[in-house]
Amino acid sequence: SRQPYLWAVVLNDLDDPHTISRLKSLLPEMLQMQSLSQRPKAGDGDAKPGEASAREILKRMRDVGLDASLHRAPLGAEEDGYAYVILIAHSQAVHDEYVRHYTVRLNMEEALDTELPRITTADKLTAISRLLTERANLGHQYMSPGEITYMHDDLEVVFASFPLHDRGFNLKLATEWGLMAELSEAHLRLVRDHYGEELAWYFALLDFTVENLFPVAAIGFIVELIKLGGDLVI
């Protein structure tokens, strides 16, 4: 499980150019990470560009209330180097951003319930994405929520910014869905709360399409059987 973390930001290690070329091929293998949260900070004269940039990004996240921690993730063997990874967990700032955005929506969407709904995983991820791009001074107006950028001497420090999978939830959902003939409203609501409304609408449309095409497919199957029997000539 990803708990308690919801979001990850992977940074290019500017202290080791070889690391940058290794990131694209080995990103999924970065499993064991060493926390740098308790590590003493280097002085201004001793700080390496890679770690200094990582700590500046971490500071900007914490300044807006994000519960972020800095880690080093091995890229394989010791000689392959490390990447810096910032992991973000749920915090009061995330909940406050959710409340703020819902209040804005209330002023524009009359159909919304005036009582604040329970915050879901999708709501938390959406709030984190807005805080990163819009509030932490790590994005610009042309970026989608969750995208961030940070330059050091004309080099891009940020390699990737993305929400984390909950493997336990994914496995449970896949197991349950594999035994169902059709999706219930409860399952669609579960998808909406965890992955967001767009994905829930996709599965709802897919379920509706399959359900309504089944009679047509059955008729077509019968017609094909008749044609193969030679009883129908077209």
Side-chain angles (χ1 to χ4, degrees), residues 54 83 124-125 149 165 176 222 227:
K124 294 175 185 178
L125 294 174
T149 181
H165 281 294
E176 291 180 357
I222 294 173
K227 288 172 62 177

Side-chain angles (χ1 to χ4, degrees), residues 140-198:
H140 53 70
Q141 60 180 336
Y142 301 109
M143 283 186 159
S144 301
E147 288 186 84
I148 64 174
T149 181
Y150 184 86
M151 304 295 293
H152 179 86
D153 290 340
D154 296 327
L155 294 175
E156 176 59 67
V157 177
V158 179
F159 176 78
S161 173
F162 51 90
L164 294 172
H165 281 294
D166 187 335
R167 293 183 179 178
F169 179 87
N170 292 346
L171 181 60
K172 178 182 177 181
L173 198 64
T175 302
E176 291 180 357
W177 283 26
L179 303 175
M180 291 190 304
E182 61 179 316
L183 299 179
S184 65
E185 182 178 343
H187 280 90
L188 291 174
R189 191 179 299 275
L190 187 65
V191 172
R192 184 201 65 182
D193 291 347
H194 194 82
Y195 298 110
E197 292 186 355
E198 290 186 6

Side-chain angles (χ1 to χ4, degrees), residues 10-158:
V10 182
L11 308 176
N12 292 315
D13 186 356
L14 302 183
D15 307 327
D16 182 9
H18 179 60
T19 297
I20 300 178
S21 63
R22 294 277 292 168
L23 271 172
K24 292 185 178 180
S25 60
L26 293 175
L27 182 59
E29 299 179 13
M30 299 189 305
L31 300 177
Q32 298 178 348
M33 291 182 286
Q34 172 190 358
S35 174
L36 298 182
S37 301
Q38 305 301 324
R39 180 174 168 179
K41 295 183 180 180
D44 292 338
D46 300 327
K48 296 180 179 180
E51 185 171 342
S53 298
R55 291 197 180 278
E56 174 60 25
I57 294 173
L58 182 70
K59 178 181 180 300
R60 294 189 186 187
M61 292 179 181
R62 289 178 172 175
D63 285 346
V64 297
L66 287 171
D67 182 5
S69 57
L70 181 61
H71 305 259
R72 291 183 74 202
L75 296 177
E78 185 175 351
E79 61 270 16
D80 293 328
Y82 293 80
Y84 290 106
V85 180
I86 296 177
L87 298 177
I88 302 173
H90 181 56
S91 63
Q92 184 60 44
V94 174
H95 187 273
D96 292 344
E97 173 62 20
Y98 163 67
V99 174
R100 183 197 68 80
H101 186 69
Y102 191 85
T103 304
V104 172
R105 291 181 60 196
L106 273 178
N107 297 327
M108 299 183 294
E109 304 177 37
E110 297 181 356
L112 283 180
D113 192 342
T114 54
E115 183 178 349
L116 184 70
R118 174 184 60 86
I119 187 171
T120 66
T121 300
D123 294 327
K124 294 175 185 178
L125 294 174
T126 302
I128 290 175
S129 69
R130 286 196 300 267
L131 287 171
L132 285 173
T133 304
E134 302 171 9
R135 300 277 303 282
N137 195 27
L138 292 170
H140 53 70
Q141 60 180 336
Y142 301 109
M143 283 186 159
S144 301
E147 288 186 84
I148 64 174
T149 181
Y150 184 86
M151 304 295 293
H152 179 86
D153 290 340
D154 296 327
L155 294 175
E156 176 59 67
V157 177
V158 179

